[in-house]
Amino acid sequence: MAAAEPKPPAGVAAARRLARGCWSAFWDYETPKVIVVKNRRLGVVYRSVQLLILLYFVWYVFIVQKSYQDSETGPESSVITKVKGITLSEHKVWDVEEYVKPPEGGSVFSIITRIEATPFQSLGTCAESMRVNNATCDSDEDCVAGQLDMLGNGLRTGRCVPYYHGSSKTCEVTGWCPVEDGASVSQFLGKMAPNFTILIKNSIHYPKFQFSKGNIEHRKDGYLKHCTFHEVSDLYCPIFKLGYIVEQAGENFTELAHTGGVIGVIINWDCDLDLSASKCNPKYSFRRLDPKHIPASSGYNFRFAKYYKINGSTTRTLIKAYGIRIDVIVHGQAGKFSLIPTIINLATALTSIGVGSFLCDWILLTFMNKNKVYSHKKFDKMVDAPSRGAGPGLCASQPSQQDCTLTDARGLAQL
């Protein structure tokens, strides 16, 4: 009689079972099992989730976002501007050549509305401005000769001299004299400025779709000579009054003209190229760009000088200009039907509908009273390996038929 085969140690047997389980998990095939659960509340949750997902994709993704289109943002753009009008100050008449800086007609320009002019400045010595740090003095000992303050107006001579007005004294400097605070004259140019007209020519191009368009209507009857912009009747007449721009930005013109500020003219080109080119129209909006509620950073001003000669000596007029700076900003987006994003978003929508099944399965396995019964019905194990001595068929070697047979011939169970 043959000797009985020795049993392997318990650890070796456990390792073999673990290896067989891992190998089986690698090669096993899993397929969904259809179970109809007669629960009205769960059915309402399931269909509601599916409906919400469907509405999200149909309304928001496809209708609002137009995800079936290929898109391009940031069109290539050119902007040309031209200002017209004259105005008066207390001392003179001002025309475009004087109050528009720079004069080239680009997308960023300034319209001067108030100036503080210091005329007849020449190189020499004079009292320093009292606004400069440590400029006030009582005697020459308080002034250091050769000292140069980067925020001052010149090189100190070491003398303490009377100020331009009052009894105060400041250190004497060598530079352009008199300094700005000592002899500046203020002039307001904003009396007629609201009626200045600004022509804004804008052309855009979307290279991906080879689409170009401009904001001026192609007419031969001198249309631009007698029109001004209107959002409905004259959309393609981009001639704006300065007062209209400031008003649309929600600002008070008189206040803005005194302190200066930055106004943005935003031109938006959102184009659906599945429609005709006439449906692609510019939309204008206006807003103030500088933070007016922060005194340190609100307002807008700059300085420049005009030079001339008097009796052979160089003289200049220093001008501190306050004005309204206009920034023309162009942006937009174009879209056109494309098969690839359509397929991708359709596949995403169909896949997302399965979230309802996952949610209801989680509710059944976690919160339902008969969750164990549902788990037992949902997960079956089928082994396609006939045992030794058994006839053909499935699960012949399984100790329990409950774990290896379907509950009915069609594979459909009801709970």
Side-chain angles (χ1 to χ4, degrees), residues 120-160:
F120 307 114
Q121 279 190 328
S122 59
L123 292 172
T125 58
C126 56
E128 176 63 287
S129 170
M130 296 187 67
R131 296 183 182 181
V132 178
N133 189 32
N134 296 323
T136 56
C137 60
D138 294 322
S139 64
D140 293 347
E141 296 178 356
D142 298 328
C143 302
V144 180
Q147 185 179 7
L148 182 66
D149 193 317
M150 296 304 297
L151 300 179
N153 293 280
L155 186 69
R156 296 188 180 182
T157 63
R159 296 177 56 201
C160 182

Side-chain angles (χ1 to χ4, degrees), residues 1 29 61 86 106-108 126 205 213 221 262 273 321 336 368 371 414:
M1 185 178 230
Y29 167 69
V61 175
I86 61 172
S107 61
V108 178
C126 56
H205 176 68
K213 196 169 184 181
D221 57 354
V262 183
L273 300 184
K336 194 172 185 179
M368 300 294 287
N371 55 349
Q414 294 189 358

